[in-house]
Amino acid sequence: MKRTAAVIGVGHSDWVGDWHRVRAGERPGDSYHYGATAFRAAIKDAGIKREDIDGLIVGPTTAYERMAEVLHMDVRWGDQADAVLSVLQAVQAIETGAADVVALVYGNDQRSAGIQYGGPQAMGGDLFLSYVYHAPWGMTSQGALYAMTFRAYADRYGISERDLGHVAVAQRQGAARNPNAIQRKEITLDDYMAARYITEPLRLFDYCLINDGGVALIIAEAGIARKLSDNPVWIESTGRFDLNRNATSLEPRLTDFYRPAQQAVAEQVFGTSGLDPSDIDVFQVYDSFSVHIPLALEGYGYCGVGEAGKFMSEQGIGLGGKLPTNTSGGHLSETYMQGWAHQIECVRQLRGECGERQVEGTKRVHYSSDVAGKAVSIIYGRD
Amino acid sequence: MQTTKTPPRILGLYDVPMWTFLEQDRQLRLQCCTDCGTWRYPPGPACPDCLSPDSDWKPVSGQGEVVSWVMFHKEYLPEYPAPYNVVAVRLDEGPILISNLIEDPAENVIGKRVKLVPVEMDDGVVLPRFELESA
Ligand SMILES: [Zn+2]
């Protein structure tokens, strides 16, 4: 394990309170407000001053210069990236000496600003052509891409729609024990099956929330982290592999279910750390849709190919299950922070701060993201 | 399946010929690499196999097989009131096309053979759609 960098502080906005305010017609703030709110909480959590930070990464939903201006930060290194790549880039910046203490800041007013993830103005179409290219045939919703993936996967391996329901049920179990979760009412498999289809075969509970919020993390070089923190959360290993060939035609989703990318990443994260899936206590998966979870379970070797349905129903991915997954409730039930809040949950499970949803004795947490075939993983650990 | 208006198409530098051929001769033509014969979709500036910039717009057979399909129950586009189907078809030539079946599937259609049907929309766009080959 390399342990060249560690997370020493995390923070987030009050997305539960803001959810209610937005539903009441208020606009609590813009994306920069949410980012600044999270940043204030993160430096307080880390016990550092803003002046101790010499690197800054902002999320893709805010302009780098403006966020840095709002936070009033001049730095010697900076970038803009999504949640998981921000962590990888912070580690790389630290390892190359470009920065010693990096702040990662994300803010998004997607709910109050009415951002569309389907339809003619589908967000992300400029980055991923598949999100908008098939509009003439009525295919623009990102959820529909996963519905199509799940149909092909179910046809190949025989997983049922009810089997998939274990994802939503398990994550709501965690959310019910998480005061920071927006949707906290527990659901059963029957509730899942009774919910309406959005794009069949996916139902309401397979879809992520859309809400406002912000997340920030402070990542520091190992020596500094030990000096500043009593409980640094180490970045043990990272890996990445992208499937881009025929992406617009959805081929990597529909024929291999992103598995080759995840297998390549598994070799990187487990190979370099000397760990294997049995060493992982908690799994966190980017879950814009529930379908990500069975695919990741198989792709990373937590169960055999085609066995995720059986794994979820017999071994369990909820609290008390074989592999507690998205213990905070994830995007489906806690908050849709585009992977950023998952990093916080990794840190809190390792610090033992998760209260009723704490997985006792957690030593290693695996985070996986496979957005549009870009498979990336981080393994976090503690001393 | 609706035939009123077509939601906005992506009409980049390489996309226009496909739509023009569809309107002119009711035929789907795709780029085929002049040097190695590899088919290219969506249209683009280089062969995915040999990177050659050269291509010919050749008609495809229109024969293919269903790779996956979904039913939309929520409306995302005013031109497409729900429910309606979307299907992924692998053409015999290789590329996967996202399209619609003329008739909503009554059962799982993965693996079923389909053939292309050009459908003229009320706004003049000719949309390549598919129908199940009769058993
Ligand atoms: Zn070629």
Side-chain angles (χ1 to χ4, degrees), chain A residues 133 136 138 148 155 198 200, chain B residues 15 68 71 73 80 84 100 108:
Chain A
Y133 196 78
M148 202 164 247
D155 181 72
I198 306 296
E200 185 183 346
Chain B
D15 298 297
S68 192
M71 286 294 299
H73 292 268
Y80 274 90
Y84 65 96
N100 313 111
N108 184 14

Side-chain angles (χ1 to χ4, degrees), chain B residues 6-133:
Chain B
T6 317
R9 291 170 289 172
I10 301 288
L11 292 176
L13 194 54
Y14 305 97
D15 298 297
V16 175
M18 181 184 93
W19 295 104
T20 306
F21 285 126
L22 275 161
E23 274 167 43
Q24 282 173 0
D25 54 7
R26 298 290 189 274
Q27 204 170 34
L28 178 65
R29 288 170 179 260
L30 296 181
Q31 285 170 299
C32 185
C33 179
T34 309
D35 293 319
C36 79
T38 298
W39 295 87
R40 199 183 303 173
Y41 180 80
C47 171
D49 194 34
C50 75
L51 288 177
S52 165
D54 300 322
S55 69
D56 307 301
W57 285 91
K58 287 193 185 171
V60 296
S61 66
Q63 309 287 312
E65 189 177 300
V66 176
V67 175
S68 192
W69 64 283
V70 296
M71 286 294 299
F72 276 72
H73 292 268
K74 173 182 158 137
E75 180 184 309
Y76 290 92
L77 298 157
E79 296 88 347
Y80 274 90
Y84 65 96
N85 78 78
V86 173
V87 67
V89 171
R90 186 186 291 284
L91 296 173
D92 289 351
E93 286 79 3
I96 291 178
L97 253 61
I98 303 302
S99 181
N100 313 111
L101 289 180
I102 306 275
E103 300 274 343
D104 287 338
E107 55 180 11
N108 184 14
V109 289
I110 291 179
K112 294 269 195 304
R113 296 289 302 170
V114 289
K115 66 170 188 247
L116 193 145
V117 181
V119 174
E120 180 164 352
M121 309 290 275
D122 291 353
D123 56 11
V125 172
V126 175
L127 210 53
R129 284 178 170 159
F130 290 85
E131 64 182 14
L132 292 173
E133 282 193 350

Side-chain angles (χ1 to χ4, degrees), chain A residues 161-178:
Chain A
E161 293 177 17
R162 195 176 175 89
D163 286 337
L164 182 64
H166 284 287
V167 176
V169 170
Q171 293 191 196
R172 192 58 72 82
Q173 184 198 15
R177 289 156 183 79
N178 175 8

